[in-house]
Amino acid sequence: MLGNLKSQPADKILALMTKFKEDPRDQKVDLGVGVYKNAEGVTPVMRAVKEAERRLVAEQTSKSYVGLAGDPAFADAMIDLVLGDSVARENIAAAATPGGTGAVRQAFELVKLANPNARVFVSNPTWPNHVSILKYVGIETVAYRYFDTETRAVDFEGMLADLAQANAGDVVLLHGCCHNPTGANLNITQFQAVVDLINEKGLIAMIDIAYQGFGNGLDEDAAATRLVASSIKEGLIAASCSKNFGVYRERTGILMAISDDAAQTPIVQQNLNFLNRQNYSFPPDHGARVVTTILTDPELRADWAAELEEIRLGMLELRQQLADELQKLSGSDRFGFIAEHRGMFSQIGTTPELVEKMRVDAGIYMVGDSRMNIAGLNKQTVPVLAKAIIDAGV
């Protein structure tokens, strides 16, 4: 049996990490991997997370299983964080998952269970794992125009034109904020236009929100998701705690399913529980309990929000510094989009050949589609990157 297996293509980002580690140069910059790093190149444990863990170690009396959908208190806390009061709690079914990736996977499984003929429309480009998982579970994927490589902004007219081709029951996958990999985002007026199209054509909205608090602020980054959730009949939301709580390895995520008919919620909840049981039975609890402890304690929540804001503002400063440095070196404003993008990533819109040239000539490591992790920079490496971009002829 095992002899029938075929080699799988290497993950491009993990392969890039290996190349970076093997590069003997002292001056090299890792902009590939999608984790937050501080100025020292460390992914820190947040203060509130440390304190919440200390309390759990001191107070927790059992490591027995929680429910199939995880701790209900975690669901309540995350629904409040992501949706606020935009949707009545009785209209939301929710299940904890192993990270945001688990939430995305379970969302796709739910789509297939509910409507095997549904297609999922994804932005071009999108997070590569969206497409990979859809292919694996056997759901037809349709790309819609999103990123304009000339302006490095959203091709909104193209996006609407492509979504207009969707059929009733098809799913539209949207990024709630901080689009990965481009950094280019819809404004709230554009989100409203997308919602109008979704309702007009009888589509299902699905939102992947993995970077809440990394863009314009916690509530600001949730505004589009809340708008969509409060305006549709049915929808799915996959949320991750990996980035904004820094609990990457704890695998902490949640899937929310919204219906405008509260009578449907128990049935939807049963199906979320069923899917969890078929996949991994009980979701991880440690990270979820840490997050719940933080969000339900006013002092811890305030400290967490303050540290998250420091992280957000630090990335914005790096964006502005890089845009200014490129303006100085190029004598033009053509890189101003970097300061306008939000989140950890920006796609600079160049070719894989020039990306490779920057790696070879200057030790700049970014993904071949020119996605770079802004959090991989610091004040000293920004000028190095800017010079490499200009020297490569981007």
Side-chain angles (χ1 to χ4, degrees):
M1 177 188 73
L2 298 181
N4 295 326
L5 294 175
K6 296 178 175 62
S7 295
Q8 296 294 325
D11 184 284
K12 294 179 180 178
I13 296 177
L14 297 181
L16 191 70
M17 288 172 60
T18 300
K19 282 187 177 181
F20 179 82
K21 290 177 181 177
E22 293 175 349
D23 190 332
R25 287 174 287 188
D26 292 331
Q27 185 168 291
K28 55 183 180 178
V29 184
D30 179 12
L31 305 178
V33 67
V35 299
Y36 170 77
K37 297 178 182 178
N38 61 21
E40 289 73 43
V42 175
T43 302
V45 180
M46 298 179 79
R47 297 185 300 264
V49 170
K50 279 282 193 184
E51 174 58 22
E53 288 186 315
R54 186 194 65 78
R55 295 183 189 181
L56 285 177
V57 169
E59 300 169 7
Q60 198 168 52
T61 59
S62 175
K63 291 290 185 181
S64 181
Y65 292 124
V66 290
L68 287 172
D71 182 4
F74 173 64
D76 290 342
M78 286 300 294
I79 289 169
D80 177 69
L81 178 69
V82 175
L83 292 176
D85 59 0
S86 61
V87 179
R89 181 64 179 88
E90 64 184 4
N91 293 87
I92 307 169
T97 60
T101 303
V104 168
R105 172 63 182 265
Q106 296 298 72
F108 293 155
E109 294 281 8
L110 188 66
V111 168
K112 191 171 184 180
L113 192 65
N115 182 5
N117 297 317
R119 301 176 295 170
V120 175
F121 282 65
V122 301
S123 63
N124 182 21
T126 190
W127 181 48
N129 225 17
H130 285 152
V131 179
S132 178
I133 295 172
L134 284 165
K135 180 180 179 181
Y136 185 78
V137 299
I139 296 177
E140 182 180 351
T141 307
V142 182
Y144 60 82
R145 280 171 283 178
Y146 187 82
F147 188 63
D148 186 327
T149 55
E150 293 296 321
T151 64
R152 279 82 159 187
V154 176
D155 177 6
F156 189 59
E157 289 186 8
M159 176 182 178
L160 287 184
D162 289 347
L163 291 181
Q165 306 307 308
N167 301 322
D170 284 341
V171 177
V172 178
L173 176 55
L174 302 165
H175 295 230
C177 64
C178 305
H179 186 273
N180 179 7
T182 70
N185 300 285
L186 300 175
N187 61 41
I188 201 69
T189 302
Q190 291 170 327
F191 262 106
Q192 182 63 64
V194 172
V195 167
D196 292 342
L197 187 149
I198 285 171
N199 288 333
E200 177 187 337
K201 296 190 67 66
L203 309 177
I204 306 299
M206 176 177 165
I207 295 177
D208 185 354
I209 181 165
Y211 299 93
Q212 184 182 353
F214 270 35
N216 292 313
L218 277 168
D219 287 329
E220 292 85 350
D221 288 349
T225 299
R226 293 171 183 176
L227 170 68
V228 174
S230 64
S231 306
I232 56 175
K233 290 188 174 183
E234 294 181 343
L236 303 172
I237 300 170
S240 171
C241 301
S242 295
K243 287 80 177 177
N244 53 7
F245 288 87
V247 289
Y248 295 90
R249 66 178 63 169
E250 302 299 348
R251 311 312 300 134
T252 308
I254 189 167
L255 173 61
M256 309 172 201
I258 297 168
S259 172
D260 65 348
D261 182 2
Q264 289 292 323
T265 302
I267 298 173
V268 178
Q269 187 65 58
Q270 289 171 13
N271 279 271
L272 292 182
N273 294 358
F274 168 79
L275 288 173
N276 271 13
R277 182 61 166 166
Q278 305 317 301
N279 197 333
Y280 41 76
S281 284
F282 302 94
D285 180 66
H286 181 76
R289 209 159 288 264
V290 166
V291 168
T292 305
T293 301
I294 292 169
L295 291 178
T296 56
D297 182 286
E299 186 175 339
L300 282 182
R301 183 167 183 152
D303 186 47
W304 163 72
E307 187 170 1
L308 181 60
E309 182 69 358
E310 293 169 8
I311 290 170
R312 183 184 77 86
L313 292 176
M315 287 190 289
L316 288 183
E317 289 175 6
L318 290 170
R319 286 186 173 280
Q320 190 63 59
Q321 183 189 355
L322 179 57
D324 291 345
E325 191 73 21
L326 285 165
Q327 195 279 335
K328 181 175 68 175
L329 294 177
S330 68
S332 75
D333 293 324
R334 61 193 176 94
F335 294 101
F337 66 89
I338 292 173
E340 299 299 322
H341 286 175
R342 287 295 182 269
M344 283 207 308
F345 305 114
S346 271
Q347 193 163 316
I348 60 175
T350 191
T351 64
E353 291 75 20
L354 290 184
V355 169
E356 178 65 7
K357 180 175 174 58
M358 285 188 279
R359 185 189 72 81
V360 172
D361 294 350
I364 302 296
Y365 284 75
M366 66 176 70
V367 184
D369 63 3
S370 76
R371 184 198 83 167
M372 59 180 179
N373 181 1
I374 296 295
L377 293 167
N378 58 45
K379 291 181 179 179
Q380 287 70 46
T381 56
V382 164
V384 176
L385 172 61
K387 185 177 185 300
I389 289 173
I390 298 302
D391 287 350
V394 176

